[in-house]
Amino acid sequence: MELFDLTGKVALITGGSRGIGRAIAERMAEHGAKVVISSRKADACEVVADGIKKAGGDALVIPCNIARRAEVEALVSGTIKHYGKIDILVCNAAVNPYYGPLLDITDEAFDKIMGSNVKSNIWLSALAIPQMAERGKGSVIIISSIGGLRGSTVIGAYGISKAADFALCRSLAGEWGPKGVRVNCIAPGFIKTPMTDALNDKQREAILAKVPAARLGTPEDIAAAAVYLASNESAYVTGQTIHVNGGMAMI
Ligand code: NAI
């Protein structure tokens, strides 16, 4: 028996051009899924899709800004037109345009964070889940964050949006579980991506002091959890959050 086999499944991943989304797309393709790579710029997605195709996989690029409803609709309909269905939806893209005291945030920045990190996940779910339910099977994976579990003096609004994703996941799991659709979150800790490359040595050391695994995570650490949640091996797991953070949240 092949564990974590995704052969024949179609996976739609937002923010797939780099970082965690890219690793998820590449690992899912290695496990047999046909993958849709999406971010705002087509050329960045094409690089990822070309690599997957060269390795023998099947990938399609559909650019989409997750903050724009019409583009999200075109992403889902374009995927279904090309591949006939969506079995796995990975809501990975997210934004954080504001660093600073929570009470100083502008309405515009707050709405942008909530729109891209929460409302777009509802759009994507509303468009993709019903066709999963028709086949009695599907997996939705929302990439949340350790920021949704803990307070922050600089990224408070981002944390609010990521905490909202936990609640969104639990409610959707309850609503769609009886129809065979599972909805789960992954909450990454500090992962080595362009975002964390911006940390200075002092900040990095302060973070590592709180990580029992004594290293930053990698996009592949997150992709491994995503492959599990997409596969039949997690058939009895829904409404949950898998914390992939090297043990950081426990101390
Ligand atoms: P990244 O910045 O490396 O990649 C983000 C991806 O999303 C890129 O493909 C980018 O083009 C795309 N994207 C950004 N805004 C978009 C928009 N409006 N529409 C469509 N695509 C858009 O980010 P990273 O680190 O890979 O983050 C991925 C997810 O993991 C996010 O949900 C983030 O909040 C979460 N996360 C990341 C952590 C980290 O340490 N890197 C920690 C905890 C959570």
Side-chain angles (χ1 to χ4, degrees):
M1 188 180 66
E2 188 86 15
L3 286 172
F4 313 114
D5 184 19
L6 303 180
T7 304
K9 293 188 195 263
V10 177
L12 166 53
I13 300 124
T14 63
S17 66
R18 64 172 194 233
I20 290 169
R22 177 179 185 158
I24 291 174
E26 290 172 346
R27 290 297 89 73
M28 286 190 177
E30 278 171 19
H31 284 258
K34 298 165 189 168
V35 294
V36 176
I37 317 285
S38 181
S39 76
R40 285 160 298 183
K41 291 187 188 133
D43 50 353
C45 296
E46 292 291 357
V47 174
V48 181
D50 285 350
I52 288 171
K53 286 184 209 160
K54 275 190 193 124
D58 192 339
L60 172 72
V61 169
I62 305 180
C64 164
N65 183 332
I66 48 147
R68 298 186 186 145
R69 187 174 190 128
E71 291 185 26
V72 169
E73 286 171 357
L75 170 63
V76 172
S77 63
T79 302
I80 292 172
K81 191 169 171 214
H82 187 83
Y83 285 129
K85 61 174 182 168
I86 300 167
D87 301 294
I88 302 155
L89 168 65
V90 185
C91 302
N92 166 72
V95 300
N96 182 33
Y98 175 73
Y99 290 83
L102 183 53
L103 300 185
D104 290 347
I105 193 168
T106 61
D107 286 355
E108 192 192 5
F110 187 77
D111 290 347
K112 191 170 182 187
I113 291 171
M114 295 305 284
S116 295
N117 300 3
V118 185
K119 191 160 70 177
S120 89
N121 293 346
I122 292 184
W123 291 342
L124 284 159
S125 298
L127 292 162
I129 289 179
Q131 56 84 46
M132 293 176 182
E134 274 173 25
R135 293 188 306 282
K137 207 166 190 179
S139 174
V140 178
I141 302 162
I142 298 168
I143 308 302
S144 179
S145 172
I146 194 170
L149 286 175
R150 308 180 126 206
S152 165
T153 54
V154 283
I155 54 167
Y158 172 83
I160 291 170
S161 74
K162 293 299 188 173
D165 283 335
F166 297 142
L168 189 160
C169 153
R170 287 190 288 263
S171 293
L172 287 182
E175 289 181 30
W176 292 93
K179 302 231 158 115
V181 180
R182 300 182 295 107
V183 185
N184 292 287
C185 281
I186 297 172
F190 281 85
I191 308 301
K192 228 182 144 357
T193 67
M195 192 177 97
T196 46
D197 283 347
L199 295 169
N200 63 37
D201 286 349
K202 208 172 153 197
Q203 289 168 321
R204 190 179 300 264
E205 271 169 36
I207 289 163
L208 286 180
K210 294 180 187 156
V211 179
R215 65 170 174 88
L216 294 183
T218 64
E220 284 68 29
D221 289 322
I222 307 304
V227 166
Y228 166 69
L229 288 175
S231 71
N232 291 337
E233 277 59 49
S234 61
Y236 202 49
V237 179
T238 192
Q240 306 301 311
T241 296
I242 299 188
H243 301 278
V244 185
N245 57 29
M248 188 173 188
M250 71 181 194
I251 54 172

